[in-house]
């Protein structure tokens, strides 16, 4: 945890990995820095980036003394620069969304932790892939939006894409080490994507009109940012993860089965043609997939305790109820609706979740809003980032207009 030890070199003479953490002040960002701090000989923090929480980023700059810190919000960046000057820290502060792209493409950078939430993370995450970096991908929205574009960039630019999402990291660990994107060749029959079911797995459906943002964010097993917590409550998170799995592992939608497993001990499974099922298990703690990806292909300490099977005793499984979780069906349909489908799904969801968190949309109206946006968005092919971002803007505006046209109260049930 000692800041000065960050610049130490490993005794073996191997080079220290220079890391950029995008979304450093968030839940995944903080867990990443927790793992990084355990391995000062392996990792050095080259840059930290966040949106607007100046105090949190300043504290991280004190501890890790990065070469650069960037804030998307320009006012916050100016304030951070002032405080960094006052304290005499060696960090240069950059401002604005463009600075994130600039940072991740710098030649000194080896690895980029993509842990910004939502579409804002797409430009720098894609830029990191296009610059051939090792991309540790937590920001699933970026992959869902850019899909093929992203995967093609990884392939053609020699980047390495390692999933941080616990399910996809578990799938990667359960696939053969030489998996080359062809499930059939590896003898894989299907992928079993586990889901906790979130906080409303047993809530009477009639009550879903009145649930509050704090209730939706009280996840039974994971402590996460508010957006992904709401996505877990609607199961749109699992819908986005179905799309993510199809893209990462070159699977068809019908090869990815969602299995509700309320304990969140099994993080996902791969079934082979001989009937074998391989799974990855562990405490629901993001430091495990983060350490797996940071150290890959070596295993490194994460600070996560051993799993105690005598305490766990039972593991349960059930099929998702499509009436309770319509977002799952919407995501599967969007995946089949060309490149524009996932972009529209994600943009409508981001607007709906933001409105729900502000108390402007009832929880049970989130799926209906997304479905209406999908119906109104024609299927189109998207060939580059500007087209993706343009459609994202149009869909956000449509979703906002639909919400204000209905001017729904957060407590309205219809
Ligand atoms: P969070 O809300 O806790 O943190 C988000 C981070 O992104 C913050 O550092 C914030 O400053 C930064 N950010 C937000 N908007 C930004 C912008 N416009 N420009 C630059 N930075 C911006 O979110 P989280 O829970 O850490 O999730 C981050 C990503 O990881 C999400 O895509 C989520 O789906 C994914 N993920 C999270 C978990 C988890 O356990 N938290 C698990 C799997 C996947
Ligand atoms: Mg997940």
């Amino acid at each position: 945890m000692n800041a000065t030890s960050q610049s130490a070199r490993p005794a073996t003479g191997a080079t220290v990995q220079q890391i950029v953490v995008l979304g450093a002040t968030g839940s995944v960002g903080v867990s990443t820095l927790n793992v990084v701090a355990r391995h000062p000989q392996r990792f050095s923090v080259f840059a930290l980036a966040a949106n607007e929480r100046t105090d949190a980023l300043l504290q991280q700059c004190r501890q890790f003394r990065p070469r650069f810190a960037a804030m998307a919000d320009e006012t916050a960046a100016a304030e951070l620069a002032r405080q960094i000057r006052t304290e005499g820290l060696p960090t240069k502060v950059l401002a604005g969304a463009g600075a994130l792209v600039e940072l991740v493409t710098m030649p000194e950078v080896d690895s980029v932790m993509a842990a910004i939430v939502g579409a804002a993370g797409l430009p720098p995450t894609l830029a990191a892939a296009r610059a051939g970096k090792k991309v540790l991908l937590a920001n699933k929205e970026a992959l869902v939006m850019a899909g093929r574009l992203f995967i093609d960039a990884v392939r053609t630019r020699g980047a390495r894409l390692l999933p941080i999402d616990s399910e996809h990291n578990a799938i990667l660990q359960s696939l053969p080490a030489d998996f080359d994107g062809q499930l059939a060749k590896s003898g894989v029959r299907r992928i079993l994507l586990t889901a906790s079911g979130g906080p409303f797995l047993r809530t009477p459906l009639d009550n879903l009109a009145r649930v509050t943002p704090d209730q939706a964010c009280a996840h039974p097993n994971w402590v996460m940012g508010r957006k992904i917590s709401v996505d877990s409550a609607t199961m749109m998170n699992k819908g986005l993860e179905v799309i993510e799995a199809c893209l990462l592992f070159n699977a068809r939608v019908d090869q990815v089965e969602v299995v509700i497993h309320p304990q969140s001990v099994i993080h996902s499974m791969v079934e082979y043609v001989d009937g074998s099922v391989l799974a990855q298990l562990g405490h629901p703690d993001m430091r495990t997939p983060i350490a797996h990806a940071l150290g890959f292909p070596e295993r490194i300490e994460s600070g996560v305790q051993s799993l105690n099977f005598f305490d766990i005793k039972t593991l349960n499984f059930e099929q998702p109820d499509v009436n309770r979780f319509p977002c799952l069906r919407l995501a599967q349909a969007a995946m089949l609706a060309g490149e524009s489908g996932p972009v529209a799904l994600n943009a409508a969801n981001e607007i709906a979740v933001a409105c729900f968190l502000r108390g402007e949309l009832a929880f049970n109206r989130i799926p209906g809003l997304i479905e209406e946006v999908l119906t109104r968005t024609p299927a189109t092919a998207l060939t580059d980032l500007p087209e993706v971002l343009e459609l994202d803007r149009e869909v956000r505006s449509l979703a906002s207009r639909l919400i204000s046209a209905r001017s729904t109260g957060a407590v309205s049930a219809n």
Side-chain angles (χ1 to χ4, degrees), residues 23 25-28 51 72 115-116 120 138-141 165 224-225 228 286:
T25 56
S27 167
V28 172
N51 193 21
I116 289 176
N139 182 200
K140 66 192 87 184
E141 298 92 343
D165 219 341
M224 309 180 286
I228 184 177
M286 288 304 290

Side-chain angles (χ1 to χ4, degrees), residues 140 164-168 193-194 222 224 228 232 237-238 241 244 267 286:
K140 66 192 87 184
I164 294 300
D165 219 341
S166 57
E167 295 78 1
H168 305 77
L193 192 68
T194 53
W222 299 94
M224 309 180 286
I228 184 177
S232 299
N237 182 50
K238 211 48 55 180
E241 289 183 2
E244 186 183 6
H267 298 304
M286 288 304 290

Side-chain angles (χ1 to χ4, degrees), residues 370-393:
I370 297 167
E371 183 154 29
E372 184 159 2
V373 169
L374 287 177
T375 312
R376 289 171 181 238
T377 308
T380 45
L382 302 170
T383 53
D384 208 352
L385 183 61
E387 289 182 7
V388 171
L389 296 179
E390 178 56 27
L391 179 62
D392 176 68
R393 265 191 299 274

Side-chain angles (χ1 to χ4, degrees), residues 55-400:
D55 290 352
L57 199 60
L58 177 65
Q59 180 50 39
Q60 293 176 338
C61 288
R62 287 188 192 120
Q63 185 182 352
F64 293 96
R65 305 176 80 85
R67 289 260 295 276
F68 295 94
M71 304 214 81
D73 182 277
E74 312 240 350
T75 316
E79 174 57 17
L80 180 70
R82 194 188 61 72
Q83 292 177 339
I84 281 192
R85 264 196 316 275
T86 307
E87 297 197 18
L89 295 171
T91 304
K92 184 173 175 198
V93 177
L94 305 179
L100 306 188
V101 172
E102 194 185 326
L103 272 181
V104 299
T105 52
M106 287 184 181
E108 298 94 325
V109 174
D110 300 305
S111 303
V112 176
M113 166 56 79
I116 289 176
V117 58
L122 173 56
T125 307
L126 185 60
R130 286 180 168 167
K133 307 296 185 189
K134 178 172 166 184
V135 181
L136 314 185
L137 185 79
N139 182 200
K140 66 192 87 184
E141 298 92 343
L143 180 64
V144 164
M145 290 173 74
R148 275 285 132 225
L149 220 60
F150 207 98
I151 298 298
D152 288 349
V154 170
R155 211 188 45 240
T156 58
R157 309 293 175 95
R160 173 90 218 197
L161 185 59
L162 290 163
I164 294 300
D165 219 341
S166 57
E167 295 78 1
H168 305 77
N169 186 272
I171 294 163
L172 178 68
Q173 294 195 46
S174 305
L175 283 169
D178 63 355
F179 176 66
D180 65 354
Q182 298 184 63
L183 291 173
K185 197 174 122 196
S186 293
V188 173
R189 188 184 280 158
R190 59 182 180 149
I191 289 169
L192 298 156
L193 192 68
T194 53
S196 69
F200 304 139
L201 183 58
R202 314 272 177 234
T203 306
L205 289 180
D206 288 347
N207 295 1
L208 293 182
R210 288 177 297 278
V211 296
T212 65
D214 283 348
Q215 288 171 322
C217 290
H219 195 280
N221 309 330
W222 299 94
V223 181
M224 309 180 286
R226 283 171 85 75
K227 191 266 179 181
I228 184 177
S229 296
V230 177
D231 284 351
S232 299
T234 60
M235 272 188 86
M236 178 56 91
N237 182 50
K238 211 48 55 180
L240 296 173
E241 289 183 2
V242 168
I243 298 174
E244 186 183 6
C246 290
L247 291 162
L248 286 174
F249 306 112
N250 195 22
R252 299 187 311 271
V253 174
D254 64 5
Q255 284 179 300
V256 182
E257 180 158 356
V258 175
V259 178
I260 292 194
H261 163 48
Q263 291 91 355
S264 299
V265 168
I266 297 179
H267 298 304
S268 277
M269 302 177 264
V270 174
E271 182 185 310
Y272 290 84
V273 287
D274 61 3
S276 299
V277 177
L278 300 194
Q280 186 261 354
L281 287 71
H283 272 287
D285 186 323
M286 288 304 290
R287 289 176 301 172
T288 295
I290 289 168
H292 174 263
L294 275 173
F296 190 86
E298 280 179 67
R299 295 277 178 176
I300 61 171
E301 275 288 344
S302 65
V304 176
Q305 74 211 87
S306 294
L307 206 51
N308 186 329
F309 286 92
F310 307 114
D311 285 345
I312 296 167
K313 292 189 176 68
T314 34
L315 298 176
N316 300 96
F317 306 96
E318 58 192 88
Q319 249 182 339
D321 172 355
V322 286
N323 292 322
R324 179 176 294 275
F325 299 117
C327 285
L328 206 48
R329 171 179 55 78
L330 294 175
Q332 287 161 333
M335 180 66 195
L336 298 171
E339 279 114 11
S340 53
V343 177
L345 177 92
N346 181 67
N349 182 55
E350 286 196 30
I351 293 294
V353 171
C355 285
F356 167 68
L357 286 172
R358 289 197 301 265
E360 294 164 9
L361 183 73
F363 179 82
N364 65 339
R365 298 213 50 193
I366 294 174
L369 187 268
I370 297 167
E371 183 154 29
E372 184 159 2
V373 169
L374 287 177
T375 312
R376 289 171 181 238
T377 308
T380 45
L382 302 170
T383 53
D384 208 352
L385 183 61
E387 289 182 7
V388 171
L389 296 179
E390 178 56 27
L391 179 62
D392 176 68
R393 265 191 299 274
E394 285 171 14
V395 172
R396 280 165 193 270
S397 147
L398 169 63
S400 301

